[in-house]
Amino acid sequence: MTNARPARTRPPQEGAGSPAPSGGRSWTRRGTRLTVLASATVLSLTALVIPAQAAAPSLSGPAGVQTQQYGQQPLDRAALRTSLDAVRTAGMYGIHSSVRNGSASWRGAAGLADVDTGRPMQPYFEHRIGSITKTFTAVAVLQQVQAGRIELDAPVGRYLPRLMDAERGRTVTVRMLLNHTSGIGDYVLPAFPGLIEDPGGTLEANRHRHIEPQELARLGLAVQPAAPRGSFAYSNTNYIIAGLLLEKVTGQDAEAYITRNVIRKAGLKHTYFPRTARIEGPHAKMYESMYGTIDPARDFSEYDMSWAGTAGALVSTTDDLNDFYRRLLSGKLLRPAELRAMKTTVPASDPAPDGEPPFHYGLGLYSLRMPDGTTYWGHDGGVFGAGTWALSTEDGKRQMAVAYNLMKYERFDDQNQPKPDPIGPALITYVTTALNAGHTPPTPRLSTPLPTPDTLLSPQQLLH
C-alpha cells in the first residue's frame, strides 16, 4: 500500500452470501492468520515503534521549554498540510483533520472520500468515531455520580441485580467498568459469528442487523476474559453495561440521555447517535480491508450501529471532537472532583525503557506520553472502515483530531509477522506535527514504543 492512489476494482455485488474476496490466498490460510491474531491478548492500542526516518529533526533546548513555545506560536499551516498529505501518499485513501493552538485553528483534508468516483475528502465531513463514544458515556455516568445516583466504587449488582452472576455482581464496580479492569470479556467476536472464517461475507450479512444492548452484554459476560479482574483489559462490553446502568438510574434511553446531557451541554452541532444505518450529513465512504482478507477494501459506511451502542456508535466531526475535549478538560462538563476521577488512571501498556508505561487509561479517557515526553489526553476509535483519533493537552488548549477511511490496512507475512507499513509512521508524524502546532517537535527523550490507534489489532478489538 505504498502507491499514492491504490489500485482498486469495483467490489462484488453486496449482500448476504457475497463471494469471498479475491486476492490469491485461500480462506483457510486467511482464517488461520486471523485466528492467530484473535488468540493473542493485545492492548486496545498496540505498540508501534517509530522508525528512525520518521523521527523529527532535533531542536536545542529542554523539551518543556519547547512545549511552552508551541503554545505561543501561530500554527504552521504549510507544515500541517505537508504532513497530512504524506499520510495520503503513504497509502491512506482519505484523511481529514482539525488542529487548534489556543484560539488559532486549521482544518485540512487529503485524498479521496470515494475511490470509485474520485470524490475528494473534505475537512467538514461527518465520521463514525467508534470508541471515542466511550468518553461521552463516561461523562454521562459521572454526571450521575455528581447527582448522587451512582457511586463509582459500588458494585454493579446494586444497580443491575439480574444482569450478571452473583459473584460478579458483588465484585465488579462501576469504576472497573469505566477503566476496563472488570475482568469482563469482549462481545464483538461472538456478536459476529463467522467473522474469522469469512470477514467480508459476515460483515455484509450483518449490515442491517439490529442487536439489543442486553444481548451484547450477555455475549460479553459469557466470553473468557482477556485478563483477571483488577488488571487492564480493554472490553467494549464494559461500556454497553455502562449504558444499561445509565438507563436504570435515569429511567431514560441511554443514547437519548447522552444526547441531551452531554452532547447538547457541550454545544456540539454534528455529533449524534445515528437513527438508521446511514450517516445523516456529508461523509466519506469508509473502507474495511481486514488485513487484506477483504480485497479490494469494501465500503461499510452504511451500517446498523446497534452493535456498538454506548461503546462506539457515535457520529461526529473533527471540529466537534476538539470542542468536546476542550470543554471537558477545561472543566465545563464535570465538576472538579468528577474530572479528577476521570483522569485517575491505571497502566495500560508495557513500560517504556525508563520503566514507566506511556499509556494509561482513566474513566473513558486515556493519557498518552509521546516520545518528546509530553503527555496528551483523549481517546481513539475504529469501526468497520472508519478510524478516528483525538488528543489534547491537559488544559485543552492544544488539540488535534484526525479521521481516516481505510481500516485494517496492515499486511502480514507467512509467519504472521507484520510487514513494513508506511501508513502508520506517516500518521504518527502527522499527529506529532499537529500536536506541536505544525512546528518541529523536540528530540525524543526516549526510544519509546508509541501506541497508535487501531494498529495491528486483533478481531477481538474491532470496535476500538
Side-chain angles (χ1 to χ4, degrees):
M1 305 187 76
T2 58
N3 296 329
R5 293 189 61 170
R8 175 178 167 82
T9 58
R10 191 171 297 278
Q13 184 175 355
E14 298 179 346
S18 295
S22 61
R25 289 178 293 175
S26 70
W27 268 111
T28 300
R29 189 169 182 180
R30 291 178 176 180
T32 300
R33 179 164 298 168
L34 287 173
T35 301
V36 169
L37 288 167
S39 66
T41 301
V42 296
L43 293 175
S44 58
L45 302 179
T46 304
L48 170 69
V49 180
I50 301 179
Q53 64 268 25
S58 62
L59 284 178
S60 59
V65 173
Q66 186 66 38
T67 299
Q68 179 65 27
Q69 185 179 358
Y70 295 145
Q72 300 171 353
Q73 291 182 344
L75 292 171
D76 187 335
R77 300 169 190 276
L80 292 169
R81 162 54 55 196
T82 298
S83 58
L84 189 69
D85 286 344
V87 184
R88 168 56 176 156
T89 301
M92 178 55 63
Y93 286 175
I95 184 168
H96 57 103
S97 180
S98 297
V99 178
R100 292 182 185 173
N101 188 27
S103 60
S105 63
W106 177 86
R107 294 193 306 175
L112 302 177
D114 186 326
V115 300
D116 290 325
T117 67
R119 178 167 59 96
M121 186 68 83
Q122 298 293 341
Y124 56 82
F125 275 173
E126 294 179 354
H127 197 74
R128 298 198 190 278
I129 64 171
S131 282
I132 294 178
T133 304
K134 290 179 173 66
T135 310
F136 290 77
T137 300
V139 170
V141 172
L142 287 166
Q143 288 177 343
Q144 293 303 302
V145 172
Q146 288 180 178
R149 299 187 184 96
I150 294 176
E151 293 181 23
L152 277 176
D153 294 310
V156 175
R158 176 188 297 181
Y159 308 101
L160 299 168
R162 291 182 291 277
L163 180 67
M164 55 186 72
D165 62 70
E167 191 272 336
R168 273 179 164 167
R170 291 192 305 269
T171 55
V172 175
T173 67
V174 175
R175 190 189 302 272
M176 289 176 176
L177 293 178
L178 299 183
N179 68 12
H180 297 292
T181 60
S182 67
I184 295 173
D186 196 288
Y187 65 80
V188 173
L189 279 182
F192 290 88
L195 188 61
I196 298 299
E197 297 78 15
D198 182 5
T202 299
L203 294 186
E204 286 293 352
N206 289 278
R207 190 185 284 267
H208 294 285
R209 172 190 173 202
H210 183 83
I211 313 176
E212 292 293 333
Q214 292 82 357
E215 174 64 9
L216 297 175
R218 184 190 68 79
L219 292 171
L221 288 165
V223 171
Q224 182 70 26
R229 188 176 308 128
S231 299
F232 177 85
Y234 192 89
S235 173
N236 297 294
T237 312
N238 289 320
Y239 275 77
I240 294 298
I241 296 174
L244 295 174
L245 173 62
L246 273 175
E247 292 186 352
K248 179 69 172 182
V249 300
T250 66
Q252 303 175 42
D253 173 81
E255 295 181 2
Y257 177 87
I258 294 168
T259 299
R260 283 191 294 269
N261 295 281
V262 181
I263 295 171
R264 290 180 183 169
K265 183 176 180 180
L268 309 183
K269 304 298 185 183
H270 303 282
T271 301
Y272 57 91
F273 287 98
R275 293 174 292 181
T276 70
R278 297 178 180 272
I279 297 174
E280 295 176 6
H283 63 278
K285 289 189 173 182
M286 299 169 188
Y287 298 95
E288 180 62 51
S289 176
M290 196 68 76
Y291 314 112
T293 62
I294 303 176
D295 185 17
R298 199 174 306 172
D299 170 34
F300 289 104
S301 55
E302 181 178 325
Y303 218 90
D304 186 320
M305 294 303 295
S306 61
W307 71 271
T310 52
L314 276 175
V315 171
S316 190
T317 64
T318 53
D319 276 341
D320 265 15
L321 290 178
N322 282 339
D323 281 343
F324 172 66
Y325 280 107
R326 177 170 285 187
R327 288 162 187 167
L328 173 62
L329 292 168
S330 62
K332 293 182 173 62
L333 301 182
L334 292 171
R335 295 185 311 194
E338 283 68 37
L339 184 56
R340 282 195 302 272
M342 196 174 203
K343 292 163 64 179
T344 300
T345 62
V346 296
S349 67
D350 293 332
D354 67 347
E356 179 66 20
F359 175 50
H360 289 75
Y361 202 95
L363 308 185
L365 182 72
Y366 64 60
S367 65
L368 176 63
R369 183 179 57 163
M370 300 295 265
D372 66 1
T374 306
T375 295
Y376 296 91
W377 293 84
H379 213 289
D380 67 278
V383 293
F384 308 129
T388 317
W389 201 4
L391 292 173
S392 300
T393 50
E394 191 168 13
D395 60 8
K397 291 182 179 179
R398 193 148 39 93
Q399 300 183 286
M400 178 285 318
V402 63
Y404 44 96
N405 69 340
L406 174 63
M407 293 296 287
K408 314 298 185 298
Y409 48 77
E410 300 86 358
R411 298 295 184 266
F412 296 82
D413 62 23
D414 291 339
Q415 285 71 47
N416 293 307
Q417 297 301 309
K419 293 182 178 181
D421 160 46
I423 297 178
L427 179 61
I428 291 296
T429 298
Y430 171 72
V431 169
T432 303
T433 301
L435 288 171
N436 289 292
H439 301 283
T440 306
T443 304
R445 295 178 180 176
L446 299 167
S447 178
T448 305
L450 181 63
T452 62
D454 303 300
T455 302
L456 308 186
L457 297 182
S458 78
Q460 288 174 317
Q461 306 294 331
L462 286 174
L463 180 55
H464 185 86

